[in-house]
Amino acid sequence: MGTKVRDIIKVIEDFAPLRLQESYDNAGLQVGNAEQNVSAVLLCLDVTEEILHEAKARSCNLIVSHHPLIFKGLKSLTGADQTQRIVIEALKEGISIYSAHTNLDSASEGVSFEMAQMLSLKDLRVLVPSEAGEGVGLGIVGSYENPVPQLEFLRRVKETFGVKALRYSGQTQHLVIRKVALCGGSGASFIGDAMRCGADAYLSGDFKYHDYTSYGLDMLIADIGHHESELCSRRIISRLLREALPECVTYIAESETNPIKIL
């Protein structure tokens, strides 16, 4: 019989149930049929036309993304924008598309947990716990056994996440970093939570100017980029599928590009 789309979905949702997604989100099966047999899976952060072309070239008939392709809904299918063109082409080519977004963020070993592991943080706990269950929620707080000098820590962050230009609060008074809070994606709204937990540093994406002026003196704030912080979502899904369905062919997209360029 082989692996079906629903088998892939079960593995992902056993780890990151849809009930964990935020109310504004649209995680789940976006395009296609859950009963379809899967030839191969392509993992990505964003579904673009380049990703769809790669899926076709590598004979993948299932794309699993972190960011939902269909987020705000579709009112027409005329090919007027990229989302519509992707849906039309995916249906024509028999390619299903599934997204695991804020449910993967909130899972107990989800995106922020993976980021903390990449930085070798210990004693991990959830930054903003969810009412959906124990050990789930957004963001992570961890610590180093031995304090790390601030510049060494920033260099470590830059290298770990492949950040080309790291924006951080230069006025902070913390010379060394022990406790770190972080959140994959756009986590500026959780700065207050990071402050209240006593973090020396807070890492996330999409900070605004006044986030630095309001909090940067008391805590090191570093914007590692939305894209850079969530690339690890592909590795999480790859590991889940490799362990649960070793016979399923899975690729991490090679055509993935950051929509934000730095000159």
Side-chain angles (χ1 to χ4, degrees):
M1 291 178 58
T3 303
K4 295 183 179 293
V5 170
R6 60 174 163 78
D7 299 321
I8 305 292
I9 292 174
K10 183 178 187 308
V11 171
I12 296 172
E13 292 184 3
D14 281 350
F15 178 83
L18 287 182
R19 62 181 173 80
L20 296 182
Q21 71 175 313
E22 298 296 301
S23 59
Y24 59 79
D25 203 4
N26 189 39
L29 185 61
Q30 307 263 297
V31 177
N33 184 349
E35 296 303 317
Q36 179 181 16
N37 287 317
V38 176
S39 56
V41 184
L42 185 65
L43 307 178
C44 64
L45 183 58
D46 294 289
V47 184
T48 62
E49 288 175 289
E50 290 75 20
I51 291 291
L52 186 60
H53 295 157
E54 181 179 348
K56 290 165 59 178
R58 302 179 84 164
S59 299
C60 298
N61 64 348
L62 174 61
I63 296 172
V64 176
S65 69
H66 184 47
H67 293 147
L69 170 65
I70 303 172
F71 197 78
K72 297 181 179 179
L74 292 172
K75 294 185 178 181
S76 61
L77 272 177
T78 64
D81 58 36
Q82 177 173 246
T83 299
Q84 293 181 41
R85 291 192 296 272
I86 291 171
V87 172
I88 292 169
E89 185 71 10
L91 289 171
K92 184 173 75 173
E93 296 292 335
I95 297 175
S96 295
I97 300 173
Y98 178 91
S99 298
H101 191 210
T102 53
N103 53 318
L104 189 63
D105 292 330
S106 285
S108 62
E109 295 185 4
V111 172
S112 296
F113 179 90
E114 187 78 10
M115 292 170 63
Q117 294 281 82
M118 292 166 69
L119 287 172
S120 301
L121 293 168
K122 306 298 182 184
D123 303 321
L124 305 182
R125 62 180 179 84
V126 178
L127 175 63
V128 185
S130 168
E131 296 179 357
E134 185 177 352
V136 299
L138 296 170
I140 286 288
V141 182
S143 60
Y144 290 113
E145 184 176 347
N146 298 310
V148 181
Q150 184 196 118
L151 284 180
E152 180 184 330
F153 172 73
L154 288 169
R155 290 191 185 100
R156 184 181 303 181
V157 168
K158 192 172 187 288
E159 180 180 347
T160 298
F161 297 104
V163 182
K164 288 183 169 50
L166 182 61
R167 300 167 64 224
Y168 67 94
S169 53
Q171 74 273 36
T172 181
Q173 299 183 44
H174 289 276
L175 299 179
V176 296
I177 304 299
R178 181 188 292 273
K179 182 179 283 190
V180 179
L182 51 83
C183 182
S186 181
S189 60
F190 304 135
I191 290 180
D193 299 281
M195 286 284 295
R196 284 188 288 274
C197 78
D200 302 313
Y202 181 47
L203 313 179
S204 190
D206 303 333
F207 290 112
K208 297 179 180 179
Y209 178 85
H210 290 293
D211 294 328
Y212 294 94
T213 60
S214 298
Y215 302 98
L217 186 66
D218 301 311
M219 179 175 63
L220 177 66
I221 298 170
D223 191 327
I224 64 174
H226 194 126
H227 178 91
E228 291 86 346
S229 71
E230 293 188 322
L231 281 176
C232 63
S233 62
R234 306 175 306 176
R235 186 165 62 183
I236 298 170
I237 300 298
S238 177
R239 187 166 59 238
L240 289 173
L241 298 182
R242 189 170 62 247
E243 293 173 357
L245 301 168
E247 74 285 355
C248 182
V249 179
T250 304
Y251 301 106
I252 290 179
E254 295 177 352
S255 58
E256 190 94 67
T257 57
N258 192 336
I260 299 173
K261 299 299 181 185
I262 297 171
L263 186 61

